[in-house]
Short mmCIF file of all heavy atoms in Angstrom, two decimals:
data_model
loop_
_atom_site.label_atom_id
_atom_site.label_comp_id
_atom_site.label_asym_id
_atom_site.label_seq_id
_atom_site.Cartn_x
_atom_site.Cartn_y
_atom_site.Cartn_z
N LYS A 327 -2.52 -4.55 -16.90
CA LYS A 327 -1.53 -4.78 -17.96
C LYS A 327 -1.19 -3.48 -18.69
O LYS A 327 -0.92 -3.46 -19.88
CB LYS A 327 -2.04 -5.81 -18.98
CG LYS A 327 -1.88 -7.25 -18.49
CD LYS A 327 -1.77 -8.22 -19.66
CE LYS A 327 -3.09 -8.91 -19.91
NZ LYS A 327 -3.20 -9.56 -21.20
N LYS B 20 1.83 -13.59 -35.26
CA LYS B 20 1.86 -13.46 -33.80
C LYS B 20 2.03 -14.84 -33.19
O LYS B 20 1.39 -15.80 -33.59
CB LYS B 20 0.54 -12.84 -33.33
CG LYS B 20 0.22 -13.03 -31.87
CD LYS B 20 0.80 -11.91 -31.04
CE LYS B 20 0.63 -12.18 -29.56
NZ LYS B 20 1.51 -11.31 -28.78
N ALA B 21 2.92 -14.93 -32.22
CA ALA B 21 3.04 -16.17 -31.44
C ALA B 21 3.08 -15.77 -29.98
O ALA B 21 3.61 -14.72 -29.62
CB ALA B 21 4.31 -16.92 -31.83
N TYR B 22 2.48 -16.58 -29.09
CA TYR B 22 2.59 -16.33 -27.66
C TYR B 22 3.87 -16.98 -27.16
O TYR B 22 4.00 -18.20 -27.21
CB TYR B 22 1.39 -16.92 -26.91
CG TYR B 22 0.10 -16.15 -27.13
CD1 TYR B 22 -0.91 -16.67 -27.94
CD2 TYR B 22 -0.10 -14.91 -26.53
CE1 TYR B 22 -2.09 -15.97 -28.13
CE2 TYR B 22 -1.28 -14.21 -26.73
CZ TYR B 22 -2.28 -14.74 -27.53
OH TYR B 22 -3.44 -14.05 -27.72
N GLY B 23 4.80 -16.22 -26.76
CA GLY B 23 6.07 -16.76 -26.28
C GLY B 23 6.77 -17.55 -27.37
O GLY B 23 6.87 -17.10 -28.51
N GLN B 25 5.75 -20.47 -28.44
CA GLN B 25 4.86 -21.47 -29.05
C GLN B 25 4.69 -21.23 -30.55
O GLN B 25 5.17 -20.23 -31.09
CB GLN B 25 3.48 -21.42 -28.37
CG GLN B 25 3.56 -21.77 -26.89
CD GLN B 25 2.29 -21.39 -26.15
OE1 GLN B 25 1.22 -21.37 -26.73
NE2 GLN B 25 2.43 -21.08 -24.88
N ALA B 26 3.97 -22.14 -31.17
CA ALA B 26 3.72 -22.02 -32.61
C ALA B 26 2.93 -20.75 -32.88
O ALA B 26 2.27 -20.21 -31.99
CB ALA B 26 2.94 -23.24 -33.11
N LYS B 27 2.99 -20.27 -34.11
CA LYS B 27 2.29 -19.03 -34.44
C LYS B 27 0.79 -19.18 -34.29
O LYS B 27 0.20 -20.16 -34.74
CB LYS B 27 2.60 -18.67 -35.91
CG LYS B 27 3.96 -18.00 -36.06
CD LYS B 27 4.19 -17.62 -37.51
CE LYS B 27 5.58 -17.02 -37.67
NZ LYS B 27 5.93 -16.82 -39.08
N VAL B 28 0.18 -18.20 -33.65
CA VAL B 28 -1.28 -18.18 -33.48
C VAL B 28 -1.90 -17.44 -34.66
O VAL B 28 -2.99 -17.78 -35.12
CB VAL B 28 -1.65 -17.49 -32.15
CG1 VAL B 28 -3.14 -17.36 -32.01
CG2 VAL B 28 -1.07 -18.28 -30.99
N LEU B 29 -1.20 -16.43 -35.13
CA LEU B 29 -1.59 -15.76 -36.37
C LEU B 29 -0.40 -15.88 -37.33
O LEU B 29 0.75 -15.61 -36.94
CB LEU B 29 -1.90 -14.28 -36.13
CG LEU B 29 -3.13 -13.98 -35.27
CD1 LEU B 29 -3.32 -12.48 -35.15
CD2 LEU B 29 -4.37 -14.64 -35.84
N VAL B 45 -15.11 -16.58 -38.90
CA VAL B 45 -15.44 -17.89 -38.35
C VAL B 45 -14.18 -18.76 -38.35
O VAL B 45 -13.18 -18.44 -39.00
CB VAL B 45 -16.57 -18.60 -39.15
CG1 VAL B 45 -17.83 -17.76 -39.12
CG2 VAL B 45 -16.13 -18.87 -40.57
N GLY B 46 -14.24 -19.85 -37.62
CA GLY B 46 -13.09 -20.75 -37.55
C GLY B 46 -13.18 -21.58 -36.30
O GLY B 46 -13.85 -21.21 -35.33
N GLN B 47 -12.47 -22.72 -36.33
CA GLN B 47 -12.55 -23.61 -35.19
C GLN B 47 -11.89 -23.00 -33.96
O GLN B 47 -11.13 -22.03 -34.06
CB GLN B 47 -11.86 -24.93 -35.53
CG GLN B 47 -12.83 -25.88 -36.22
CD GLN B 47 -12.12 -27.00 -36.94
OE1 GLN B 47 -10.89 -27.06 -36.94
NE2 GLN B 47 -12.91 -27.86 -37.55
N SER B 48 -12.19 -23.61 -32.85
CA SER B 48 -11.59 -23.15 -31.60
C SER B 48 -10.07 -23.19 -31.71
O SER B 48 -9.49 -24.14 -32.22
CB SER B 48 -12.06 -24.08 -30.48
OG SER B 48 -11.71 -23.52 -29.26
N GLY B 49 -9.44 -22.12 -31.28
CA GLY B 49 -7.99 -22.06 -31.34
C GLY B 49 -7.45 -21.55 -32.66
O GLY B 49 -6.24 -21.50 -32.87
N ALA B 50 -8.35 -21.13 -33.55
CA ALA B 50 -7.89 -20.67 -34.86
C ALA B 50 -7.19 -19.31 -34.79
O ALA B 50 -6.47 -18.93 -35.70
CB ALA B 50 -9.08 -20.59 -35.83
N GLY B 51 -7.44 -18.58 -33.71
CA GLY B 51 -6.76 -17.29 -33.55
C GLY B 51 -7.69 -16.10 -33.68
O GLY B 51 -7.24 -14.96 -33.78
N LYS B 52 -9.00 -16.34 -33.62
CA LYS B 52 -9.96 -15.25 -33.81
C LYS B 52 -9.90 -14.22 -32.68
O LYS B 52 -9.83 -13.02 -32.93
CB LYS B 52 -11.38 -15.84 -33.91
CG LYS B 52 -11.52 -16.96 -34.93
CD LYS B 52 -12.92 -17.53 -34.98
CE LYS B 52 -13.37 -18.22 -33.71
NZ LYS B 52 -12.69 -19.50 -33.40
N THR B 53 -9.92 -14.73 -31.45
CA THR B 53 -9.88 -13.80 -30.31
C THR B 53 -8.55 -13.04 -30.30
O THR B 53 -8.50 -11.84 -29.97
CB THR B 53 -10.09 -14.56 -29.00
OG1 THR B 53 -11.39 -15.15 -29.02
CG2 THR B 53 -9.98 -13.64 -27.79
N THR B 54 -7.49 -13.73 -30.65
CA THR B 54 -6.19 -13.07 -30.72
C THR B 54 -6.24 -11.89 -31.69
O THR B 54 -5.72 -10.80 -31.42
CB THR B 54 -5.10 -14.08 -31.14
OG1 THR B 54 -5.11 -15.16 -30.22
CG2 THR B 54 -3.74 -13.43 -31.17
N LEU B 55 -6.92 -12.10 -32.82
CA LEU B 55 -7.05 -11.03 -33.80
C LEU B 55 -7.82 -9.84 -33.20
O LEU B 55 -7.42 -8.68 -33.37
CB LEU B 55 -7.78 -11.58 -35.03
CG LEU B 55 -7.81 -10.69 -36.27
CD1 LEU B 55 -6.39 -10.44 -36.76
CD2 LEU B 55 -8.64 -11.35 -37.37
N VAL B 56 -8.88 -10.15 -32.47
CA VAL B 56 -9.65 -9.09 -31.82
C VAL B 56 -8.78 -8.33 -30.83
O VAL B 56 -8.76 -7.08 -30.81
CB VAL B 56 -10.89 -9.68 -31.10
CG1 VAL B 56 -11.54 -8.63 -30.19
CG2 VAL B 56 -11.90 -10.21 -32.11
N LYS B 57 -8.01 -9.07 -30.03
CA LYS B 57 -7.14 -8.43 -29.03
C LYS B 57 -6.10 -7.53 -29.69
O LYS B 57 -5.73 -6.49 -29.13
CB LYS B 57 -6.44 -9.49 -28.18
CG LYS B 57 -7.36 -10.14 -27.16
CD LYS B 57 -6.60 -11.15 -26.33
CE LYS B 57 -7.47 -11.72 -25.22
NZ LYS B 57 -6.81 -12.88 -24.57
N GLU B 63 -2.98 -7.07 -27.40
CA GLU B 63 -1.82 -7.87 -27.80
C GLU B 63 -1.16 -7.17 -28.97
O GLU B 63 -1.77 -6.35 -29.66
CB GLU B 63 -2.25 -9.29 -28.22
CG GLU B 63 -2.84 -10.13 -27.11
CD GLU B 63 -1.80 -10.61 -26.10
OE1 GLU B 63 -0.58 -10.41 -26.36
OE2 GLU B 63 -2.20 -11.15 -25.05
N GLN B 97 -18.49 -12.60 -25.20
CA GLN B 97 -19.45 -13.62 -24.83
C GLN B 97 -19.94 -13.45 -23.39
O GLN B 97 -21.11 -13.68 -23.09
CB GLN B 97 -18.73 -14.97 -24.98
CG GLN B 97 -19.60 -16.17 -24.75
CD GLN B 97 -18.86 -17.44 -25.15
OE1 GLN B 97 -17.74 -17.40 -25.65
NE2 GLN B 97 -19.50 -18.57 -24.95
N ASP B 173 -16.93 -10.41 -30.11
CA ASP B 173 -16.29 -11.72 -30.04
C ASP B 173 -17.27 -12.73 -29.44
O ASP B 173 -17.46 -12.78 -28.23
CB ASP B 173 -15.02 -11.64 -29.20
CG ASP B 173 -14.18 -12.91 -29.30
OD1 ASP B 173 -14.63 -13.87 -29.97
OD2 ASP B 173 -13.08 -12.94 -28.72
N GLU B 174 -17.90 -13.50 -30.30
CA GLU B 174 -18.92 -14.49 -29.92
C GLU B 174 -19.97 -13.89 -28.99
O GLU B 174 -20.21 -14.41 -27.89
CB GLU B 174 -18.24 -15.70 -29.27
CG GLU B 174 -17.35 -16.39 -30.29
CD GLU B 174 -16.82 -17.72 -29.78
OE1 GLU B 174 -17.58 -18.43 -29.12
OE2 GLU B 174 -15.66 -18.02 -30.08
N VAL B 204 -17.25 -12.16 -34.58
CA VAL B 204 -16.60 -13.48 -34.48
C VAL B 204 -17.65 -14.46 -33.99
O VAL B 204 -18.31 -14.20 -32.98
CB VAL B 204 -15.42 -13.42 -33.48
CG1 VAL B 204 -14.87 -14.82 -33.25
CG2 VAL B 204 -14.34 -12.47 -33.97
N THR B 205 -17.83 -15.54 -34.70
CA THR B 205 -18.88 -16.46 -34.27
C THR B 205 -18.61 -17.89 -34.70
O THR B 205 -17.85 -18.17 -35.61
CB THR B 205 -20.25 -16.01 -34.81
OG1 THR B 205 -21.27 -16.87 -34.29
CG2 THR B 205 -20.30 -16.06 -36.31
N HIS B 206 -19.24 -18.80 -33.94
CA HIS B 206 -19.21 -20.22 -34.25
C HIS B 206 -20.52 -20.66 -34.90
O HIS B 206 -20.66 -21.81 -35.28
CB HIS B 206 -19.11 -21.03 -32.95
CG HIS B 206 -17.73 -21.18 -32.43
ND1 HIS B 206 -16.73 -21.77 -33.15
CD2 HIS B 206 -17.17 -20.83 -31.24
CE1 HIS B 206 -15.62 -21.78 -32.44
NE2 HIS B 206 -15.86 -21.20 -31.28
N MET B 221 -10.99 -18.68 -40.75
CA MET B 221 -9.61 -18.87 -40.28
C MET B 221 -9.37 -20.31 -39.87
O MET B 221 -10.27 -21.00 -39.39
CB MET B 221 -9.32 -17.96 -39.08
CG MET B 221 -9.27 -16.48 -39.41
SD MET B 221 -8.94 -15.47 -37.96
CE MET B 221 -7.26 -15.95 -37.60
N GLY B 224 -4.50 -20.09 -37.55
CA GLY B 224 -3.86 -18.79 -37.65
C GLY B 224 -3.77 -18.24 -39.05
O GLY B 224 -3.12 -17.21 -39.27
N1 ATP C 417 -2.43 -15.51 -23.49
C1 ATP C 417 -2.11 -16.60 -24.20
N2 ATP C 417 -0.94 -17.23 -23.96
C2 ATP C 417 -0.60 -18.33 -24.68
N3 ATP C 417 -1.35 -18.87 -25.61
C3 ATP C 417 -2.54 -18.29 -25.89
C4 ATP C 417 -2.98 -17.13 -25.19
N4 ATP C 417 -4.18 -16.77 -25.68
C5 ATP C 417 -4.48 -17.67 -26.64
N5 ATP C 417 -3.50 -18.58 -26.77
C6 ATP C 417 -3.47 -19.67 -27.74
O1 ATP C 417 -3.58 -19.10 -29.02
C7 ATP C 417 -4.39 -19.90 -29.84
C8 ATP C 417 -5.50 -19.07 -30.43
O2 ATP C 417 -6.32 -18.61 -29.39
P1 ATP C 417 -7.60 -17.73 -29.67
O3 ATP C 417 -8.18 -17.40 -28.35
O4 ATP C 417 -7.22 -16.61 -30.55
O5 ATP C 417 -8.53 -18.75 -30.45
P2 ATP C 417 -10.04 -18.55 -30.90
O6 ATP C 417 -10.04 -18.72 -32.36
O7 ATP C 417 -10.60 -17.33 -30.36
O8 ATP C 417 -10.72 -19.82 -30.24
P3 ATP C 417 -12.19 -19.93 -29.62
O9 ATP C 417 -13.10 -20.14 -30.80
O10 ATP C 417 -12.14 -21.17 -28.77
O11 ATP C 417 -12.49 -18.72 -28.85
C9 ATP C 417 -4.89 -21.03 -28.98
O12 ATP C 417 -4.10 -22.19 -29.27
C10 ATP C 417 -4.65 -20.59 -27.60
O13 ATP C 417 -4.35 -21.67 -26.75
#
Side-chain angles (χ1 to χ4, degrees):
Chain A
K327 280 206 260 164
Chain B
K20 161 89 187 164
Y22 288 107
Q25 298 165 29
K27 280 182 183 171
V28 175
L29 294 181
V45 300
Q47 274 163 358
S48 191
K52 308 179 295 290
T53 297
T54 303
L55 191 61
V56 169
K57 285 181 175 170
E63 295 287 352
Q97 185 170 357
D173 191 356
E174 296 189 39
V204 173
T205 184
H206 277 301
M221 291 180 68

